[in-house]
């Protein structure tokens, strides 16, 4: 029953926290997962397993890529400033 809870609840927990600022911060998500599990169960083994499951989901999902910004050319000579 505990293994099933860890599997199902870790997926639900990760989905609920998807899109938050700390989504790809493994330490942040691990801490959130630990607090979430401690409120719901008294077993330290289940809390550890839940945190590990959430952290593993964070590692498996890639970080979104940001678009590259084209560099602006600013290497004009000073004499060209008033043309």
């Amino acid at each position: 029953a505990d293994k099933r809870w860890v599997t199902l609840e870790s997926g639900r927990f990760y989905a609920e926290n998807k899109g938050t600022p700390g989504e790809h911060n493994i330490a942040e998500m691990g801490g959130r997962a630990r607090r979430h599990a401690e409120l719901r169960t008294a077993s330290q083994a289940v809390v550890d397993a839940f945190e590990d499951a959430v952290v593993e989901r964070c590692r498996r999902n890639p970080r979104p890529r940001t678009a590259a910004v084209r560099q602006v050319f600013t290497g004009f000579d000073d004499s060209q400033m008033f043309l």
Side-chain angles (χ1 to χ4, degrees):
D2 289 339
K3 187 175 180 179
R4 178 178 162 81
W5 182 83
V6 167
T7 303
L8 295 175
E9 188 65 20
S10 66
R12 185 177 308 128
F13 177 81
Y14 186 77
E16 288 173 357
N17 285 284
K18 199 166 177 102
T20 59
E23 175 187 359
H24 295 288
N25 184 342
I26 292 174
E28 171 80 19
M29 285 295 281
R32 287 183 192 176
R34 177 165 290 284
R35 286 187 297 278
H36 179 80
E38 286 173 346
L39 292 174
R40 297 194 172 41
T41 184
S43 171
Q44 190 60 37
V46 174
V47 170
D48 293 340
F50 182 76
E51 181 181 7
D52 292 342
V54 171
V55 166
E56 183 58 33
R57 285 182 185 271
C58 289
R59 285 191 179 120
R60 282 190 308 203
N61 290 325
R63 204 172 209 158
R65 300 176 102 188
T66 55
V69 177
R70 180 180 273 173
Q71 189 174 9
V72 178
F73 179 71
T74 57
F76 295 108
D77 293 329
D78 292 339
S79 63
Q80 293 179 336
M81 187 171 167
F82 298 106
L83 287 178

